Amino acid sequence: MSDAIDPDRIERAVEHALTRRKDYGEERLDEGRLAPDPFVQFDLWLAEADDRGVYEPNAMVLGTIGADGTPSSRTVLLRGVDDRGFVFYTDRSSRKGLALAANPTATLLFPWYLIHRQVIVTGAAATVDDDESDAYWATRPYGSRIAATASRQSRPIGSRAELEDRVRELEEEYSGVDDIRRPERWGGYRLRPWRIEFWQGRTSRLHDRLVFERDADAGPGSPWRVERLQP
Ligand SMILES: Cc1cc2nc3c(=O)[nH]c(=O)nc-3n(C[C@H](O)[C@H](O)[C@H](O)COP(=O)(O)O)c2cc1C
């Protein structure tokens, strides 16, 4: 079989994608059934996404703005949520970490396509404290802790072999030792939201969009306004 890409096949794939128009179901999101607290509403939807088979329902797309104003996005995993905000862990010297240091305003998007739902959270990200990062670090498998120590996330490296060598060196250094020190550059962020949008797909593209909003400097427990947006 030839490795050449068949242009007809590409054309067919594009056509298939374009014509596979899906109409969404009869589910609705109305003000009467909305939880008064967006974190409660989020917990309900997250549990439903999980029950209904969404793959990695805690995967979310983090959007940031770099120091030069360039937006960028990537997937991270939600590791905790309560009325203080949404927590994820990463390398703070990564591209996203540098962006958040320059501009803490960020978005999180949960793309639950399978159940025709989307949640978009906007707020300010702040680092979680060392004790909280240490506690989460300790729950990570040995291999993930070694990998996070070996990898200077987002920086170029000459080859895969170079990275694997570094992992081997660390495995020797920590041979028989489970207590791997958390690198200072690795830790959590908590995004404290001031806007949370719940989107429910409906038939004929007449979707439901309900948005919770409050002032950017409002503390946990302060009241939210709810607004319906046109689809
Ligand atoms: C499903 C999935 C989950 C991910 N979870 C994380 C995560 O929790 N933390 C993280 O730093 N990177 C995670 N990544 C990798 C990021 O998407 C990204 O490649 C990495 O963080 C570097 O991003 P940056 O260069 O924009 O900083 C995940 C990727 C995928 C596809």
Side-chain angles (χ1 to χ4, degrees):
M1 214 175 86
S2 142
D3 283 345
I5 294 170
D6 172 3
D8 285 346
R9 213 180 119 215
I10 295 174
E11 204 173 304
R12 282 197 304 277
V14 170
E15 205 175 291
H16 178 69
L18 292 177
T19 53
R20 206 174 33 180
R21 191 180 291 268
K22 284 220 172 90
D23 206 10
Y24 298 142
E26 281 308 316
E27 264 185 287
R28 60 181 60 191
L29 176 63
D30 50 47
E31 289 81 345
R33 285 193 295 184
L34 195 71
D37 179 332
F39 292 104
V40 174
Q41 182 65 36
F42 179 81
D43 284 346
L44 284 171
W45 270 26
L46 179 63
E48 281 183 25
D50 196 26
D51 288 348
R52 291 162 66 178
V54 172
Y55 183 69
E56 303 227 64
N58 61 327
M60 52 194 189
V61 178
L62 165 69
T64 54
I65 304 163
D68 65 355
T70 306
S72 64
S73 51
R74 79 290 288 153
T75 308
V76 291
L77 295 177
L78 178 68
R79 290 305 187 195
V81 56
D82 59 26
D83 65 357
R84 293 169 301 162
F86 295 73
V87 175
F88 58 91
Y89 286 87
T90 193
D91 185 328
R92 292 178 183 147
S93 64
S94 65
R95 183 175 55 155
K96 74 181 90 48
L98 299 182
L100 290 172
N103 187 355
T105 301
T107 56
L108 298 170
L109 184 151
F110 294 84
W112 296 327
Y113 308 134
L114 181 71
I115 57 169
H116 313 144
R117 285 179 180 172
Q118 167 177 268
V119 177
I120 305 175
V121 180
T122 311
T127 53
V128 310
D129 63 34
D130 284 345
D131 289 348
E132 198 175 337
S133 291
D134 284 339
Y136 177 67
W137 175 257
T139 69
R140 301 188 89 214
Y142 175 84
S144 310
R145 283 176 286 150
I146 290 282
T149 309
S151 165
R152 305 302 304 264
Q153 196 175 56
S154 312
R155 298 196 188 174
I157 190 159
S159 67
R160 170 97 197 171
E162 220 177 290
L163 187 60
E164 288 176 358
D165 283 349
R166 216 182 286 163
V167 167
R168 260 190 301 276
E169 279 166 26
L170 284 166
E171 283 170 346
E172 276 167 30
E173 189 183 329
Y174 285 104
S175 161
V177 181
D178 186 56
D179 185 18
I180 301 163
R181 212 178 33 257
R182 174 176 63 86
E184 227 174 277
R185 61 184 155 75
W186 194 96
Y189 288 93
R190 175 173 283 108
L191 189 132
R192 186 180 48 78
W194 55 75
R195 183 184 192 279
I196 306 182
E197 172 177 344
F198 293 87
W199 184 98
Q200 169 72 60
R202 300 279 306 265
T203 39
S204 303
R205 304 289 187 254
L206 216 50
H207 312 305
D208 287 324
R209 298 177 66 191
L210 293 180
V211 180
F212 286 85
E213 230 168 337
R214 66 184 180 189
D215 296 342
D217 55 5
S222 39
W224 295 87
R225 300 179 291 276
V226 177
E227 204 167 40
R228 176 175 286 270
L229 300 185
Q230 299 177 48

